[in-house]
Amino acid sequence: MAIRSDLLWFLAFQVLLLDALLVNSNRNCSIEGSMSKLESEFVMLQHQLRGDFKVVDGCSFRVSGFDMIEGSDVRWWGALGEDFGNLSRGFEISDEKLNRTYKNETFVVNLKNVSLDQINVIAVWDKPTASDYGHVVLRSSVNGTGLSNETKPNKDGKYQGYLEPTMFDNCKSLSSNYRVRWTLDSEMEVVDIGLEAATGSQYYMAFGWADPGSASELMLHADIAVTGFTEEGMPFAEDYYITKYSECLTNRDGNFQGVCPDTIYDGDDPVGLVNNTELIYGHRRDGVSFIRYQRPLKSVDKKYDVPVSGTANMTVIWALGLIRPPDTLRPYYLPQNHGGPEFVTYGHLVLNVSEHVNDCLGPLEADDKEDQELIIADGQFALVVTTGPAMRYPNPPSPSKVLYINKKEAPLLRVERGVPVKFSVQAGHDVALYITSDPIGGNATSRNVSETIYAGGPQIEGVPASPTDLIWSPDRNTPDQVYYQSLFQPKMGWKVQVVDGGLSDMYNSSVVLDDQQVTFFWSTSENSISIAARGEKKSGYLAIAFGSGMVNSYAYVGWVDDTGKGRVSTYYIDGRDALNVHPTNENLTYVRCKSENGVITFEFTRPLKPSCVGTHGVECNNIIDRTTPLKVVWAMGARWSEDHLSERNMHSVTSSRPVRVLLMRGSAEAEQDLRPVLAVHGFMMFVAWGILLPGGILSARYLKHVKGDGWYQLHVYLQYSGLAIILLGSLFAAAELRGLIMSSVHVKLGMTAIILACAQPINAFLRPKKPSGGEDTSPKRLIWEYLHVIIGRSAMVAGIAALISGMKHLGDRYGGENAHELSWALIIWFLLGALLVIYLEYREQKRMRRARSLGRSNWVLGNSDEEDDADLLPSNRTIIESRSNQSQRMEVQLEPLNR
């Protein structure tokens, strides 16, 4: 049995050996022509992969200077093309695994079961995520020439990749997260420089040569290149010259000074004589910025460029810091103060570009490698899912089109457990959205891979004209990371971060402000309001302000300072200059501010009405009325400095218009010009309370001595006309403002006045009958007359107070122009009315005294016996009538004359 077992093992070994020989017999390890001397470099796509590639023979290749951040299950991969379809159908070409971090290493890779003439692309491939970390194109799959379309011969006749050149001859570490790489071309008298830093996307990287004549102030008169990325993610490299330790400013004589582009000093440079820093390539990968540029050793610009020696030691300077993008006043990038300690964010060293240096061991690793756009889902607003071209897809290779959410390409999506997420799918009938545990998507079961589907499916597809909604509620059992993908095609979506409850759970209401860049959260109580603001775009600071614009507004600014501490400060802004930004002493509690992937979020609680006992600060006027729409604007920028506000227009992006936030309703609407609406409302109320109703009262008070009932007709017509205008004006305002909330002082006064005014016609309808003849006035009649007078005059007082409070309300809350002047005009109007009443009262008293002197006085509190309607209170009519009757009953007795 032992012999038979050994025989079986021997036969099996012979079969395997024969199979290997047959396979190897089909491999061609000899290679000729251009492929035999192919030297290229890896195209860096992810994980900071870089290295030189050189063919050894048809079955092996050498990799040198190889850097890569560790992956999950990474292999050497072969494919017929570098596109998504070919790489997805590729296969392993070596038994070697790349499941660790590589630091500037050199080794030979032997192929298995394949030769170089059978593949066109060699890639470093992560199998679980179908992810291409980087690759080398051996030959074009189109022309079959044996050369990559991305390569061209150099001066030595060797072929070197040049589409994304990340390899250099030399490298030196400037700080723990900043490196400079360079390659000197002595014949062409140029030097290629690569700047590489693990820093934020809105940071600049500066490097250049100090003025040889400067011994101490190395940065003054230095010739530097300032590099970075635009807000659209495009690289730039510009030639700068330093004349002062400040950002570029214009002095009084019109000349520029500071850290300014060379072109600013001498104007436009159409032929590149002044700005001779030529951008070659740039990218951001895994939170690391990389810029490659080229500059001549000796420039034709003798004024602003420092000649670089190709053999001698020279002093170079460098810096890292935030950069402010161009604006309308200064259309160029403005590097801000680098801050921080020396040799961390700035420094200098002696460098000889001809000496070989390489102290950069291993790839740079950023603390936050997720550099994709971030969208934080909110349960109240749908996420619009569409498709678009793959421009910067985070998981290459990408298909021709990928998923866009809210017009952002394959963003990182963050959701909160317990908060429903609504997707409005408008990506087309060939794209079905689903939430899956599989990082590739496209129905993992078709690849014989298991997956868990949390939401969505084949029916979740739609177009803009007929979208399909998907509501997904992540719960406590949802993993911390899942993926949104298309069920019909793989690798169209990206990651979903599932976190515990956040802002949406902490605040009762939220709205997205204008331009969909800032989300505003709030919760109100009886005396305070809690507010949070979150930017949807990476920035150095985020500001929200209450007002129609930043000017004449109260602003709240959140940022993270140089020490990494989140800060929130309040300001009053009364102009467009930095000198017009005034800090306030507003009492903020529960203050928090943080930055995640460059996205600023800050929170605070403040009283609705600031406590200003014994003080008169500008913050005392920053009153929030829950019943009044709160106009909110926002701004973002690269940097905020609380102590040195000396720059103008520090923001790089602002809201285009205010949004009216309805605090009590939890909604918002675009700002409208309500001043015409309020002007019509105010004019109608002025006509009623300032002209008609006072005129009706005066007619009843001072015109009763006129014969006939004209005063009574005038009184009734004016009162009813005024009341009709009041009701129309109130309905007009309520319709335009979509309701009235009674907690407003103006609304309270107005409603009180309206109720009192409406009570008068009812009172008149219910008045008791006037006593006839010599009857005494009844108690009911007496009570009615007192009520009629008191209610009417109380209505006038409340109406006048409502008018004045309305003018103040207009000025405080809606920014009405000339509201202060109009308030004083209104007060003067009623003062003049009061003087008129005093004069008329004097005339009436004088008339009454004259009437009494003639023996007929018939007025008490404005009543006469002319008409029944005039009897508002009992008069001395009974006494007069009694005397009159007595006089009428006097008997004249005639006695005869007795003579």
Side-chain angles (χ1 to χ4, degrees):
M1 292 295 294
I3 296 176
R4 183 175 297 178
S5 177
D6 292 341
L7 180 61
L8 290 175
W9 277 108
F10 175 77
L11 292 175
F13 176 76
Q14 292 295 325
V15 170
L16 292 174
L17 179 61
L18 180 61
D19 181 65
L21 291 173
L22 289 174
V23 171
N24 289 327
S25 66
N26 295 326
R27 300 173 65 195
N28 181 16
C29 292
S30 62
I31 192 166
E32 299 178 354
S34 60
M35 182 67 70
S36 63
K37 52 183 178 181
L38 175 63
E39 292 186 17
S40 184
E41 66 179 74
F42 285 91
V43 176
M44 180 191 295
L45 296 178
Q46 294 183 75
H47 284 243
Q48 294 302 297
L49 183 143
R50 61 159 45 90
D52 285 324
F53 174 94
K54 182 177 181 179
V55 172
V56 176
D57 56 35
C59 298
S60 60
F61 57 88
R62 179 186 299 274
V63 177
S64 58
F66 188 70
D67 287 349
M68 189 190 76
I69 298 175
E70 181 180 2
S72 55
D73 187 8
V74 187
R75 306 296 179 94
W76 291 107
W77 200 258
L80 298 179
E82 57 181 324
D83 58 283
F84 172 72
N86 278 300
L87 280 172
S88 299
R89 293 188 296 268
F91 51 91
E92 293 182 43
I93 60 173
S94 174
D95 292 329
E96 183 176 353
K97 297 182 180 180
L98 304 173
N99 294 337
R100 62 181 179 89
T101 296
Y102 288 81
K103 299 181 179 181
N104 199 23
E105 300 185 29
T106 300
F107 49 89
V108 174
V109 178
N110 295 311
L111 307 185
K112 69 170 185 177
N113 303 332
V114 69
S115 59
L116 291 178
D117 61 355
Q118 295 175 305
I119 54 179
N120 297 330
V121 176
I122 294 178
V124 178
W125 186 262
D126 186 77
K127 291 180 66 177
T129 60
S131 184
D132 182 11
Y133 288 2
H135 62 260
V136 172
V137 179
L138 303 178
R139 61 178 59 80
S140 171
S141 58
V142 177
N143 55 36
T145 58
L147 297 175
S148 167
N149 290 336
E150 300 174 0
T151 62
K152 65 178 182 179
N154 60 16
K155 61 182 181 179
D156 297 327
K158 297 180 180 180
Y159 293 91
Q160 190 171 14
Y162 211 70
L163 180 63
E164 298 187 356
T166 60
M167 298 299 293
F168 294 81
D169 294 340
N170 309 281
C171 182
K172 189 169 186 62
S173 293
L174 302 176
S175 68
S176 60
N177 63 339
Y178 188 21
R179 295 173 176 177
V180 59
R181 301 176 184 269
W182 74 93
T183 296
L184 175 65
D185 189 335
S186 301
E187 294 183 7
M188 301 296 295
E189 294 189 340
V190 296
V191 58
D192 278 29
I193 298 174
L195 302 180
E196 184 179 35
T199 187
S201 60
Q202 293 188 344
Y203 277 66
Y204 69 85
M205 300 179 292
F207 180 85
W209 275 262
D211 182 4
S214 297
S216 57
E217 301 291 339
L218 296 178
M219 287 195 176
L220 285 180
H221 306 127
D223 172 25
I224 63 171
V226 175
T227 68
F229 292 88
T230 67
E231 291 184 300
E232 292 76 26
M234 301 302 296
F236 69 87
E238 299 288 341
D239 206 358
Y240 277 64
Y241 184 70
I242 302 176
T243 58
K244 186 180 179 182
Y245 291 128
S246 70
E247 71 172 35
C248 190
L249 298 171
T250 308
N251 55 27
R252 293 182 178 179
D253 58 5
N255 295 323
F256 288 88
Q257 60 182 2
V259 184
C260 300
D262 289 4
T263 54
I264 292 298
Y265 296 109
D266 280 351
D268 295 335
D269 183 29
V271 295
L273 297 179
V274 176
N275 182 27
N276 48 35
T277 297
E278 180 184 359
L279 174 69
I280 301 298
Y281 173 73
H283 70 224
R284 264 189 74 81
R285 304 275 194 270
D286 313 298
V288 177
S289 297
F290 173 80
I291 300 288
R292 180 171 186 149
Y293 66 93
Q294 186 181 88
R295 63 153 292 168
L297 297 179
K298 297 180 180 179
S299 172
V300 296
D301 179 12
K302 306 297 183 183
K303 189 174 181 180
Y304 304 114
D305 285 354
V306 173
V308 178
S309 172
T311 57
N313 292 339
M314 296 188 68
T315 301
V316 295
I317 60 173
W318 57 271
L320 288 171
L322 286 163
I323 192 165
R324 183 148 60 92
D327 54 39
T328 55
L329 295 180
R330 288 177 284 185
Y332 43 85
Y333 284 92
L334 293 173
Q336 305 295 293
N337 190 312
H338 42 71
E342 189 175 9
F343 301 115
V344 175
T345 59
Y346 73 100
H348 62 88
L349 69 153
V350 176
L351 186 69
N352 189 328
V353 295
S354 62
E355 294 181 359
H356 179 69
V357 179
N358 189 3
D359 61 3
C360 305
L361 300 179
L364 277 179
E365 290 197 54
D367 294 333
D368 186 3
K369 299 180 177 63
E370 191 62 62
D371 203 35
Q372 196 70 3
E373 291 277 8
L374 173 66
I375 290 182
I376 301 177
D378 194 311
Q380 297 186 10
F381 301 95
L383 303 174
V384 180
V385 181
T386 56
T387 58
M391 305 297 293
R392 290 185 290 271
Y393 185 68
N395 185 26
S398 63
S400 58
K401 67 177 183 178
V402 296
L403 293 177
Y404 281 62
I405 296 182
N406 289 356
K407 300 182 179 180
K408 296 180 180 180
E409 178 189 358
L412 177 67
L413 181 61
R414 182 176 299 163
V415 301
E416 298 172 358
R417 292 182 174 90
V419 179
V421 183
K422 182 178 181 180
F423 298 89
S424 178
V425 182
Q426 308 173 17
H429 297 303
D430 60 339
V431 176
L433 181 72
Y434 77 126
I435 310 299
T436 174
S437 62
D438 183 59
I440 302 175
N443 192 3
T445 56
S446 63
R447 306 191 311 273
N448 297 321
V449 178
S450 62
E451 68 176 334
T452 301
I453 297 177
Y454 300 96
Q459 73 279 5
I460 308 300
E461 47 86 11
V463 294
S466 179
T468 298
D469 291 339
L470 169 65
I471 299 179
W472 170 46
S473 297
D475 55 29
R476 58 183 301 179
N477 298 320
T478 307
D480 291 341
Q481 181 170 291
V482 293
Y483 301 85
Y484 63 93
Q485 295 286 358
S486 170
L487 188 66
F488 299 150
Q489 302 177 45
K491 293 188 71 173
M492 292 188 68
W494 192 227
K495 297 176 182 177
V496 181
Q497 290 182 350
V498 184
V499 299
D500 292 330
L503 296 177
S504 296
D505 294 334
M506 295 169 59
Y507 293 88
N508 294 335
S509 306
S510 65
V511 296
V512 178
L513 300 181
D514 190 55
D515 298 323
Q516 305 292 309
Q517 295 292 335
V518 176
T519 305
F520 183 77
F521 302 83
W522 75 94
S523 295
T524 60
S525 61
E526 183 177 357
N527 298 316
S528 66
I529 181 171
S530 297
I531 292 174
R534 181 182 64 215
E536 307 295 345
K537 184 177 181 179
K538 296 179 181 180
S539 63
Y541 75 86
L542 170 64
I544 60 170
F546 300 155
S548 298
M550 282 294 174
V551 179
N552 296 325
S553 70
Y554 294 92
Y556 301 84
V557 183
W559 79 100
V560 177
D561 61 20
D562 295 334
T563 65
K565 180 182 179 181
R567 305 284 299 278
V568 178
S569 291
T570 66
Y571 303 88
Y572 177 71
I573 305 175
D574 59 5
R576 299 186 179 278
D577 195 278
L579 298 176
N580 299 112
V581 181
H582 309 289
T584 69
N585 296 319
E586 190 169 352
N587 181 25
L588 302 184
T589 56
Y590 302 104
V591 177
R592 289 184 292 270
C593 180
K594 62 181 179 180
S595 176
E596 296 179 345
N597 294 327
V599 174
I600 301 290
T601 301
F602 67 87
E603 307 170 64
F604 62 90
T605 299
R606 52 149 289 178
L608 293 173
K609 185 176 181 180
S611 177
C612 295
V613 179
T615 62
H616 302 282
V618 68
E619 64 273 7
C620 297
N621 296 322
N622 187 14
I623 300 173
I624 294 180
D625 186 351
R626 292 183 301 169
T627 65
T628 302
L630 181 66
K631 289 190 287 188
V632 184
V633 296
W634 58 265
M636 297 182 191
R639 179 171 182 152
W640 186 266
S641 175
E642 188 175 32
D643 300 326
H644 303 90
L645 289 177
S646 59
E647 304 89 0
R648 291 187 178 183
N649 298 328
M650 287 174 292
H651 52 263
S652 59
V653 59
T654 62
S655 54
S656 57
R657 60 178 178 175
V659 167
R660 298 173 69 245
V661 178
L662 308 177
L663 297 176
M664 298 294 289
R665 297 183 182 177
S667 61
E669 59 187 13
E671 168 67 3
Q672 301 174 359
D673 189 3
L674 291 177
R675 284 173 295 183
V677 176
L678 300 177
V680 172
H681 169 75
F683 178 76
M684 295 175 71
M685 292 303 180
F686 171 75
V687 170
W689 293 107
I691 299 176
L692 298 179
L693 295 180
I697 294 176
L698 293 178
S699 67
R701 178 71 176 87
Y702 301 113
L703 296 180
K704 290 182 180 179
H705 63 277
V706 180
K707 289 293 183 178
D709 63 347
W711 71 269
Y712 173 74
Q713 299 295 333
L714 185 62
H715 172 74
V716 172
Y717 292 151
L718 288 178
Q719 299 302 89
Y720 278 107
S721 298
L723 183 59
I725 292 177
I726 288 172
L727 295 176
L728 288 175
S730 301
L731 293 175
F732 184 77
E736 288 296 326
L737 298 176
R738 299 182 183 179
L740 297 174
I741 302 175
M742 288 302 299
S743 58
S744 170
V745 175
H746 172 64
V747 176
K748 286 179 178 179
L749 290 172
M751 292 304 297
T752 301
I754 292 173
I755 292 172
L756 292 173
C758 291
Q760 287 295 75
I762 301 174
N763 187 310
F765 178 78
L766 298 176
R767 73 182 184 276
K769 187 178 179 180
K770 173 187 174 182
S772 60
E775 295 178 358
D776 294 334
T777 303
S778 66
K780 291 183 179 180
R781 178 76 181 192
L782 184 62
I783 294 173
W784 174 84
E785 289 181 352
Y786 271 108
L787 285 177
H788 194 70
V789 172
I790 293 173
I791 292 174
R793 295 176 183 179
S794 299
M796 276 303 306
V797 173
I800 294 172
L803 279 177
I804 298 174
S805 66
M807 296 303 302
K808 186 177 185 302
H809 189 72
L810 175 67
D812 292 345
R813 289 290 89 195
Y814 293 95
E817 297 179 0
N818 303 320
H820 185 70
E821 291 79 4
L822 290 175
S823 297
W824 277 108
L826 193 64
I827 294 173
I828 292 172
W829 172 265
F830 286 112
L831 288 176
L832 292 175
L835 292 175
L836 177 62
V837 170
I838 293 173
Y839 172 74
L840 292 176
E841 188 68 22
Y842 167 76
R843 291 288 303 270
E844 183 67 16
Q845 292 295 332
K846 185 176 180 181
R847 188 185 66 81
M848 290 173 55
R849 285 195 299 269
R850 185 167 60 251
R852 282 195 295 270
S853 67
L854 297 176
R856 50 183 186 85
S857 176
N858 61 353
W859 180 92
V860 174
L861 289 178
N863 299 331
S864 71
D865 59 351
E866 299 283 346
E867 297 289 343
D868 177 64
D869 305 280
D871 282 333
L872 301 180
L873 285 178
S875 65
N876 59 352
R877 182 177 63 253
T878 305
I879 301 174
I880 296 173
E881 288 179 350
S882 175
R883 292 178 180 176
S884 177
N885 292 334
Q886 290 177 3
S887 65
Q888 290 176 5
R889 292 193 299 269
M890 289 178 62
E891 298 180 357
V892 179
Q893 298 181 6
L894 299 177
E895 297 180 2
L897 296 175
N898 297 321
R899 296 187 179 246

